[in-house]
């Protein structure tokens, strides 16, 4: 029901009347429902006034379909409290008061934002974090239920002593213990991996101290040899510490069983148990010598945490409380089992849940680094020794210092008890960095026929960026389920104080020289590159502005960072990290480069008269490539937005692009501390304005929000001047239009000025050979080019884990598979063809041999498609074709007999 005293009617234009303007700010005092709700939530007067203003806007905008009486009033109170940093209630108290669950609550807020655009960035971040935390809790609770059923007996028949505990009570105690350790140890409670590993530690703890009568056989056998659980009393603290450590040493079997069944790395879980879980037990006074903790004591400790954090009360999962009812489209662990063609294979592969997916992703990373070292290899040391100036000591010292910095920052972000966890992840990143560095140097040696890389290996920016990229891969692997967290990119750049522009230089080479990267990780690194190009590289302190300035001042005349004439030329992806880190930089005092020279692209000649030969010019390779990529990213974004907003005016796209490109090239200062999409939206609005096309900023913003990887802060908070920010409309009026007014007015006439070339848009350079290529019409057949496997030091190949996609795996290029493998592939490929043959069996003419075809999409051969086609021709040997011919003839005979 709506409030008893709704806001008074407004004028036709939506503005308040004079009487209403004087009374609005105290009107909430007369609304009994609103006042009662605020009283129950203990909201301050400031929050009440702010919430009432939001409610007035909701009512005035006529959003009838989202008006839900106390529900929307409660949301308005929440929005005001978050914005004012004055949260006097927990999320659970709010949900109880408004009779909402988490999913409905967040959906209402999203709908309010879509209809009225009232949600600030601060509120949006809070809602996103709440939803992510809830999804993580929901996933963990479901995993907890499954594990509890696998480990403990539901109804033991021999509960003998008062120290024993019923399964129902144990269920509550175990879950609350986990909530307590998770809330105490983690500041980032949406970290699924560490949370799950702590959950396993909790289960191990209770398996150790419980009577065997409560355990199922597998776990009962694992602890059958454990000593008496009640040692003689001694000093409580020393007894607790000694008991925990001794139990840790004697129960490796329990860890091994749990980790194996859940796809976890046992070393990581045991490390977390020793460095994080056991110290937590000591800090809260939980000891194995004291038996099972009492549930009320645990609940009281968790309650203190819950109220202090103003959070969700996750104990309510135990009661199936309506506020925590899951949305089936959201956090539920959907069992995404692969489709099976053979009924006998139904149970071969376990369900792919969020937890299992995360564990598998981490395990795959660990497997790929199984034989990598966190020290330079003999090959790397040889490269270091070949340098004019040996970089070994500097490299080792840098890694040591960055390791300490990373450990400290990780602990600050995740929790002080997790410092050692962070350091372990850092060391994984170091192993990956050394391996990629070695691969890069080998590629450079092959390309340049040199072995002295002194300039590159003594470049600190290169080493820091390479290590940061490796750690980003590790952090993204561990955070693969969570969306945005405190540790998400560009967190690593801030930790190591790396310029985004320097980090960008290593991404492409990193992807090309690390074949173990998954498709998802390649996409992640590409998204990092996009974020750098669209905003991070344009921060005011970025070196890119000095590089552009130097480029334009060369030879005393204005030049371009990248010639417009090269826009429609194919983008060559043959630049290595060495090219980009050692590209020429002109000294501000002398017009000479400080490193090797790269000739600029020649401009097209206007006539046949030979031009005088100019002196060789210097252009920064990294800047030139950066601008090319920025142009292509900018055009793709703009093209997508134009297709949605201007389908009836396709001719405007080229004009908008010309203004957009002109701004990036000649008015690049407008990008300082701003976003590429802000310039794009202003360019679109400006051209539509001078061409008399009715396109409003609200329409542009609404369509922009629907694009992938966008943030509402892009249009809600734009730099105006001197640290002041406002909406994109204010930016357009006060900054963009004032700067480009003369240029914009050129397009008001019927004859447009010369238009900029449309950038050549190639295939992504990152769709490389390790991405499986799908066979058209091939019944879920994927073909991957052969990778060079990493080898055991003794020459043995590292074991490869079979997955649902690799059940029938043929490696083209090593040795032929068995005849049975090829026969099974042929059967799958022929299944659809046989259906067509049934209607065409009118002659006994020999059937032509079928051939497999690969997609060779586009001219870019970096994906190895040409190489695959050649290998495929080799595969169709006489033996294989004979088997295929024989199979077809047998099938033809069978079909005739059926007729």
């Amino acid at each position: 029901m709506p409030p008893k005293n709704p806001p008074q009617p407004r004028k036709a234009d939506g503005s308040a009347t004079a009487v209403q303007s004087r009374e609005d700010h105290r009107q909430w005092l007369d609304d009994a429902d609103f006042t009662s709700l605020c009283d129950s939530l203990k909201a301050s007067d400031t929050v009440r006034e702010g919430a009432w203003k939001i409610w007035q806007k909701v009512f005035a905008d006529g959003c009838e379909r989202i008006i839900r009486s106390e529900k929307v009033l409660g949301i308005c109170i929440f929005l005001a409290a978050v914005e004012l940093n004055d949260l006097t209630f927990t999320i659970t108290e709010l949900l109880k008061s408004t009779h909402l669950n988490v999913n409905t609550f967040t959906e209402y807020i999203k709908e309010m934002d879509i209809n009225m655009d009232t949600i600030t960035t601060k509120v949006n971040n809070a809602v996103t974090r709440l939803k992510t935390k809830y999804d993580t809790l929901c996933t963990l609770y479901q995993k907890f239920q499954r594990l509890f059923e696998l480990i403990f007996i539901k109804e033991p028949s021999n509960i003998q002593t008062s120290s024993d505990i019923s399964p129902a009570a144990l269920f509550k105690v175990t879950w609350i213990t986990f909530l307590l350790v998770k809330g105490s140890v983690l500041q980032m409670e949406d970290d699924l991996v560490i949370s799950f590993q702590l959950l396993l530690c909790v289960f191990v703890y209770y398996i150790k101290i419980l009577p065997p009568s409560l355990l199922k056989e597998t776990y009962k056998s694992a602890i059958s040899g454990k000593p008496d659980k009640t040692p003689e009393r001694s000093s409580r603290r020393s007894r607790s510490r000694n008991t925990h450590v001794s139990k840790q040493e004697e129960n490796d079997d329990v860890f091994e069983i749990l980790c194996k069944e859940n796809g976890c790395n046992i070393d990581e879980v045991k490390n977390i148990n020793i460095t994080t879980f056991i110290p937590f037990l000591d800090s809260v006074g939980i000891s194995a010598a004291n038996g099972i903790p009492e549930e009320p004591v645990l609940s009281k400790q968790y309650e203190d945490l819950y109220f202090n954090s103003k959070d969700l009360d996750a104990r309510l999962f135990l009661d199936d409380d309506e506020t925590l009812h899951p949305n089936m489209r959201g956090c539920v662990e959907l069992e995404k089992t692969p489709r099976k063609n053979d009924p006998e294979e139904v149970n071969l592969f376990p369900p792919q849940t969020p937890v299992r997916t995360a564990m598998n992703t981490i395990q795959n990373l660990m497997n790929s680094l199984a034989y990598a070292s966190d020290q330079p290899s003999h090959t790397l040391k040889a490269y270091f020794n070949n340098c004019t100036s040996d970089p070994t000591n500097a490299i080792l010292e840098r890694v040591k210092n960055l390791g300490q910095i990373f450990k400290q920052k990780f602990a600050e972000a995740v929790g002080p008890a997790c410092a050692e966890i962070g350091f372990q992840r850092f060391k994984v990143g170091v192993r990956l960095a050394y391996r990629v560095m070695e691969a890069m140097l080998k590629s450079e040696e092959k390309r340049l026929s040199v072995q002295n890389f002194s300039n590159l290996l003594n470049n600190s920016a290169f080493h820091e960026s390479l290590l940061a990229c490796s750690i980003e891969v590790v952090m993204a692997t561990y955070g693969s389920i969570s969306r945005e967290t405190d540790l998400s990119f560009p967190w690593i750049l801030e930790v190591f104080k790396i310029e985004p522009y320097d980090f960008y230089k290593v991404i492409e080479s990193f992807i090309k020289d690390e074949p173990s990267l998954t498709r998802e990780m390649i996409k992640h690194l590409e998204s990092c590159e996009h974020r750098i190009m669209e905003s991070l590289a344009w921060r005011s302190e970025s070196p890119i502005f000095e590089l552009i300035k130097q480029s334009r001042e060369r030879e005393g005349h204005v030049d371009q960072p990248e010639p417009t004439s090269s826009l429609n030329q194919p983008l060559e992806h043959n630049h290595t990290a060495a090219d980009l880190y050692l590209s020429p930089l002109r000294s501000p005092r002398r017009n000479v480069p400080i490193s090797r020279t790269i000739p600029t692209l020649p401009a097209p000649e206007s006539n046949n008269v030979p031009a005088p030969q100019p002196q060789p010019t210097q252009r920064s390779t990294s800047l030139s490539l950066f601008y090319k990529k920025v142009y292509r990213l900018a055009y793709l974004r703009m093209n997508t937005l134009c297709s949605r907003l201007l389908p009836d005016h396709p001719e405007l796209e080229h004009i908008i692009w010309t203004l957009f490109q002109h701004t990036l090239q000649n008015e690049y200062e407008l990008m300082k501390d701003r976003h590429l999409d802000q310039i794009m939206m202003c360019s679109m609005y400006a051209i539509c304005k001078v061409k008399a096309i009715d396109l409003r900023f609200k329409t542009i913003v609404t369509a922009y929000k629907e694009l992938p990887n966008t943030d509402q802060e892009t249009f809600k908070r734009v730099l105006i001047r001197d640290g002041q920010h406002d909406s994109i409309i204010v930016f357009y009026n006060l900054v963009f239009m004032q700067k480009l007014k003369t240029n914009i007015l050129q397009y008001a006439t019927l004859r447009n000025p010369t238009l900029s070339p449309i950038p050549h848009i190639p295939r992504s350079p990152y769709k490389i050979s390790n991405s499986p290529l799908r066979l058209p019409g091939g019944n879920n057949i994927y073909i991957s080019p052969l990778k060079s496997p990493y080898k055991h030091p003794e020459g043995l190949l590292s074991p490869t884990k079979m997955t649902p996609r690799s059940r029938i795996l043929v490696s083209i290029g090593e040795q032929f598979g068995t005849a049975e493998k090829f026969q099974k592939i042929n059967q799958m490929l022929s299944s659809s063809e046989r259906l067509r043959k049934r209607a065409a069996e009118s002659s006994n003419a020999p059937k032509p041999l079928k051939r497999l075809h690969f997609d060779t999409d586009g001219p870019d051969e970096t994906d190895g498609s040409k190489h695959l086609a050649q290998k495929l021709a080799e595969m169709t040997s006489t033996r294989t074709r004979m088997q295929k011919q024989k199979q077809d003839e047998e099938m033809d005979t069978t079909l005739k007999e059926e007729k």
Side-chain angles (χ1 to χ4, degrees):
M1 118 185 131
K4 296 179 181 178
N5 297 302
Q8 299 299 316
R10 296 184 173 236
K11 297 180 182 178
D13 62 357
S15 61
T17 63
V19 175
Q20 183 185 358
S21 298
R22 292 193 298 269
E23 297 179 355
D24 272 353
H25 68 288
R26 302 299 292 175
Q27 200 176 58
W28 57 268
L29 290 172
D30 301 325
D31 191 285
D33 293 336
F34 180 76
T35 302
S36 175
L37 185 58
C38 287
D39 289 343
S40 68
L41 297 173
K42 301 180 179 61
S44 65
D45 286 352
T46 308
V47 169
R48 297 179 192 218
E49 291 182 10
W52 188 256
K53 289 178 182 178
I54 297 173
W55 159 245
Q56 285 178 313
K57 182 172 177 56
V58 172
F59 191 89
D61 285 353
C63 297
E64 298 293 338
R65 60 196 180 99
I66 67 169
I67 294 179
R68 306 286 192 275
S69 62
E70 76 278 357
K71 292 179 174 60
V72 173
L73 291 176
I75 290 174
C76 293
I77 294 171
F78 170 78
L79 298 180
V82 171
E83 190 64 32
L84 295 168
N85 289 324
D86 192 8
L87 211 61
T88 56
F89 48 85
T90 68
I91 300 298
T92 294
E93 288 174 330
L94 176 64
L95 296 176
K96 291 281 189 182
S97 299
T98 55
H99 307 290
L100 293 169
N101 63 38
V102 176
N103 285 298
T104 309
F105 176 73
T106 55
E107 286 170 3
Y108 280 171
I109 293 178
K110 182 179 179 180
E111 191 169 354
M112 289 175 67
D113 189 33
I114 291 173
N115 285 276
M116 296 164 294
D117 201 26
T118 59
I119 310 303
T120 65
T121 301
K122 185 176 181 180
V123 171
N124 185 65
N125 291 338
V127 173
T128 300
R129 184 174 291 276
L130 169 65
K131 186 64 169 63
T132 303
K133 185 180 295 184
Y134 167 73
D135 287 346
T136 303
L137 276 171
C138 193
T139 298
L140 289 167
Y141 182 68
Q142 292 178 14
K143 193 68 176 180
F144 167 77
Q145 289 176 302
R146 294 181 185 179
L147 285 173
F148 193 90
E149 292 176 1
L150 290 172
I151 296 170
F152 300 107
I153 297 175
K154 290 184 178 180
E155 297 180 1
S157 58
N158 55 344
I159 297 180
Q160 300 173 351
T161 67
S162 58
S163 63
D164 290 338
I165 185 172
S166 70
L170 177 61
F171 189 84
K172 290 185 177 181
V173 167
T174 308
W175 176 245
I176 296 174
T177 302
F178 166 67
L179 295 179
L180 183 58
V181 63
K182 180 174 178 287
S184 301
V185 168
L186 293 180
Q187 292 171 190
M188 279 180 50
E189 293 193 58
D190 53 355
D191 191 305
L192 181 63
V193 173
I194 298 180
S195 297
F196 181 66
Q197 291 171 336
L198 286 171
L199 179 60
L200 294 185
C201 293
V202 172
F203 273 116
V204 170
Y205 176 76
Y206 282 112
I207 289 171
K208 292 187 301 182
I209 68 173
L210 280 169
S213 59
L214 284 174
L215 301 175
K216 291 188 176 178
E217 187 56 40
T218 303
Y219 298 94
K220 184 187 297 186
S221 301
I223 63 168
S224 58
K226 71 180 183 179
D228 184 9
K229 301 189 297 293
T230 56
E232 295 183 3
R233 293 191 173 273
S234 58
S235 167
R236 178 172 180 174
R237 185 167 187 84
S238 63
R239 182 178 71 245
S240 174
R241 169 71 66 179
N242 293 336
T243 300
H244 290 321
V245 173
S246 63
K247 293 293 183 183
Q248 164 65 29
E249 294 174 351
E250 71 191 31
N251 282 283
D252 282 356
D253 289 347
V254 179
F255 278 106
E256 186 174 349
I257 294 171
L258 273 176
C259 291
K260 184 177 180 180
E261 289 184 350
N262 293 279
C264 291
N265 184 296
I266 185 172
D267 293 330
E268 285 193 355
V269 178
K270 290 172 66 176
N271 179 67
I272 286 180
N273 188 62
I274 294 173
T275 63
T276 305
F277 182 67
I278 290 177
F280 157 76
L281 294 177
D282 292 338
S283 69
V284 296
I286 296 178
S287 169
N290 298 330
I292 308 297
E294 296 182 2
E295 186 262 332
V297 175
L298 293 176
S299 263
K300 180 62 174 64
Q301 291 176 312
Y302 172 73
E303 201 167 87
D304 293 340
L305 279 175
Y306 150 66
F307 278 113
N308 288 336
S309 61
K310 302 294 186 292
D311 211 339
L312 292 167
D313 186 352
R315 293 173 300 178
L316 297 179
F317 278 111
L318 298 168
D319 303 325
D320 194 27
D321 191 89
E322 62 178 6
T323 61
L324 297 180
H325 280 173
N327 183 341
M328 295 306 295
R329 297 172 300 169
C331 69
V332 176
E333 285 194 306
L334 298 177
E335 296 190 359
K336 297 179 281 189
T337 53
R339 294 172 55 187
K340 305 292 189 301
N341 296 319
D342 187 347
E344 297 178 0
E345 296 183 6
V346 171
N347 296 318
L348 282 180
F349 303 102
Q352 292 302 302
T353 63
V355 171
R356 185 172 294 278
T357 300
M359 296 303 113
N360 286 345
T361 304
I362 294 168
Q363 194 59 48
N364 288 339
L365 174 66
M366 293 303 180
N367 288 342
S368 72
L369 293 172
Y371 304 113
S373 171
D374 57 3
Q375 295 294 320
S377 65
H378 293 298
T379 303
L380 270 181
K381 289 178 180 178
Y383 280 118
F384 297 166
N385 292 333
N386 287 333
C387 291
T388 306
S389 176
D390 191 333
T392 304
N393 292 335
I395 291 173
L396 296 178
E397 187 66 24
R398 184 183 297 109
V399 169
K400 179 181 177 181
N401 293 337
L402 292 179
Q404 294 303 314
I405 293 172
F406 183 88
K407 181 177 179 179
Q408 176 188 345
K409 295 297 183 181
F410 187 91
E412 291 175 1
V414 181
C418 299
E420 191 59 33
I421 299 173
F423 191 62
Q424 294 302 316
R425 294 188 186 180
F426 175 83
K427 290 198 291 187
V428 175
V430 171
R431 289 157 60 190
L432 180 59
Y434 280 140
R435 189 171 76 184
V436 175
M437 186 190 304
E438 182 176 325
M440 286 182 175
L441 295 176
K442 287 180 178 178
S443 297
E444 287 295 288
E445 180 181 2
K446 183 177 180 181
R447 184 172 73 102
L448 303 175
S449 299
V450 297
Q451 293 181 332
N452 185 346
F453 299 105
S454 186
N455 288 342
L456 179 65
L457 292 178
N458 282 282
N459 187 313
S460 61
F462 165 70
H463 288 290
E464 291 170 358
S465 299
L466 177 60
L467 180 57
C469 193
S470 300
I471 293 176
E472 177 60 29
V473 168
V474 175
M475 299 301 288
T477 300
Y478 278 87
S480 57
I481 302 302
S482 304
R483 297 171 188 170
E484 289 292 326
T485 69
D486 292 341
L487 305 184
S488 297
F489 186 82
W491 178 78
I492 189 63
L493 303 187
E494 297 163 0
V495 169
F496 289 167
K497 306 299 180 185
I498 296 174
E499 288 292 342
Y501 182 70
D502 286 331
F503 185 84
Y504 133 84
K505 298 175 186 178
V506 81
I507 293 176
E508 188 169 325
S509 285
F510 189 99
I511 293 174
K512 290 179 179 178
D513 289 314
E514 179 46 54
S516 72
L517 294 179
T518 63
R519 182 191 300 259
E520 290 72 22
M521 193 55 61
I522 291 173
K523 289 181 179 178
H524 172 72
L525 291 178
E526 188 175 14
S527 72
C528 295
E529 185 182 57
H530 287 176
R531 288 193 63 183
I532 291 172
M533 292 190 291
E534 67 191 14
S535 62
L536 298 179
W538 302 100
R539 292 173 177 172
S540 55
E541 68 276 9
S542 173
I544 195 171
F545 293 102
E546 181 62 25
L547 283 174
I548 296 174
K549 181 180 177 182
Q550 292 176 10
S551 176
R552 294 171 68 89
E553 290 177 350
R554 191 185 65 248
E555 300 298 329
H557 64 274
V558 175
D559 192 15
Q560 306 167 3
E562 178 58 27
T564 307
S565 59
S566 69
L567 281 180
N568 54 7
Q569 298 177 2
L571 181 60
E572 296 181 1
H573 295 283
N574 56 0
H575 295 294
T576 66
D579 287 330
L580 303 185
Y581 282 101
L582 302 178
S583 61
L585 303 176
R586 279 169 25 88
S587 168
R589 297 182 181 182
R590 296 188 302 161
N591 293 333
V592 295
I594 65 172
S595 185
R596 55 177 159 173
T597 63
I598 306 293
T600 185
L601 292 171
E605 297 181 6
S606 57
N607 51 54
N608 294 327
V609 178
Q613 295 295 322
Q615 294 295 318
T617 57
Q618 311 300 327
R619 182 182 302 280
S620 170
T621 303
S622 63
L623 180 61
S624 176
L625 182 61
F626 177 81
Y627 250 90
K628 285 181 179 180
K629 288 188 173 184
V630 168
Y631 283 152
R632 283 156 178 79
L633 177 63
Y635 176 75
L636 286 174
R637 294 275 185 89
M638 188 209 71
N639 174 262
T640 303
L641 199 57
C642 284
S643 65
R644 298 191 181 196
L645 293 175
L646 300 170
D648 298 330
H649 302 279
E651 73 283 354
L652 293 185
E653 180 186 294
H654 205 163
I655 302 173
I656 294 170
W657 165 244
T658 301
L659 176 61
F660 192 7
Q661 188 272 330
H662 167 83
T663 306
L664 295 175
Q665 175 182 293
N666 298 297
E667 304 295 346
Y668 59 89
E669 289 284 344
L670 284 178
M671 281 294 297
K672 187 172 290 188
D673 290 326
R674 296 190 179 100
H675 195 287
L676 186 69
D677 293 347
Q678 294 164 356
I679 308 300
M680 174 186 69
M681 288 186 277
C682 287
S683 299
M684 178 175 289
Y685 180 80
I687 294 301
C688 289
K689 194 78 172 175
V690 298
K691 293 295 186 181
I693 303 298
D694 185 18
L695 182 65
R696 303 183 181 183
F697 254 121
K698 185 174 183 179
T699 307
I700 296 175
V701 165
T702 301
Y704 176 77
K705 286 193 289 188
E706 299 301 318
L707 298 181
N709 303 317
T710 57
D711 186 346
Q712 63 174 344
E713 187 172 1
T714 303
F715 54 83
K716 286 187 174 181
R717 191 173 184 274
V718 189
L719 176 66
I720 307 301
R721 63 173 66 89
D722 299 329
Q724 298 178 348
H725 296 78
D726 213 312
S727 70
I728 192 168
I729 300 175
V730 176
F731 168 70
Y732 175 84
N733 289 328
L734 298 184
V735 182
F736 186 86
M737 188 183 66
Q738 303 300 326
K739 191 76 172 179
L740 292 160
K741 187 173 183 179
T742 302
N743 188 275
I744 293 172
L745 291 176
Q746 297 178 31
Y747 303 97
T749 61
L750 295 178
R751 290 190 61 184
N752 293 319
T754 304
L755 301 180
S756 298
I758 297 295
H760 174 79
I761 307 298
R763 293 178 58 192
S764 169
Y766 304 127
K767 292 178 181 177
I768 54 180
S769 58
N770 67 322
S771 298
L773 191 63
R774 182 167 186 168
L775 186 68
N779 196 6
N780 289 332
I781 296 292
Y782 290 81
I783 302 176
S784 296
L786 176 67
K787 298 178 186 178
S788 299
Y790 292 105
K791 296 186 178 182
H792 190 278
E794 284 76 20
L796 298 177
L797 296 180
S798 59
T800 302
K801 208 171 190 178
M802 297 300 289
T803 67
R805 291 192 180 277
S806 62
R807 299 199 302 269
I808 305 174
L809 181 63
V810 178
S811 181
I812 303 171
E814 286 186 331
Q815 58 182 347
F816 275 61
T818 63
E820 289 76 18
K821 281 188 177 181
F822 281 105
Q823 187 174 15
K824 197 163 186 178
I825 291 176
N826 289 332
Q827 288 173 351
M828 295 174 69
L829 292 174
S830 303
S831 59
S832 59
E833 187 69 19
R834 292 188 201 117
L835 297 176
R836 293 192 292 271
K837 283 183 178 181
R838 289 182 183 272
E841 289 293 334
S842 58
S843 71
N844 294 325
K847 308 299 184 294
L849 294 175
K850 300 181 187 68
R851 298 188 62 187
L852 300 176
H853 296 280
F854 289 85
D855 278 336
T856 52
D857 182 20
D860 189 354
E861 294 182 0
T862 59
D863 62 350
S865 57
K866 182 177 180 181
H867 179 68
L868 272 174
Q870 294 171 349
K871 291 299 180 184
L872 184 61
E874 296 172 9
M875 185 186 75
T876 55
S877 64
T878 303
R879 177 184 175 186
T880 308
R881 285 184 295 182
M882 290 176 63
Q883 292 173 347
K884 181 67 172 61
Q885 187 74 50
K886 181 178 179 181
Q887 179 194 349
D888 287 347
E889 290 173 357
E890 291 174 353
M891 183 57 66
D892 293 344
T893 303
T894 303
L895 291 175
K896 289 177 182 179
E897 290 175 353
E898 290 176 356
K899 288 187 175 182

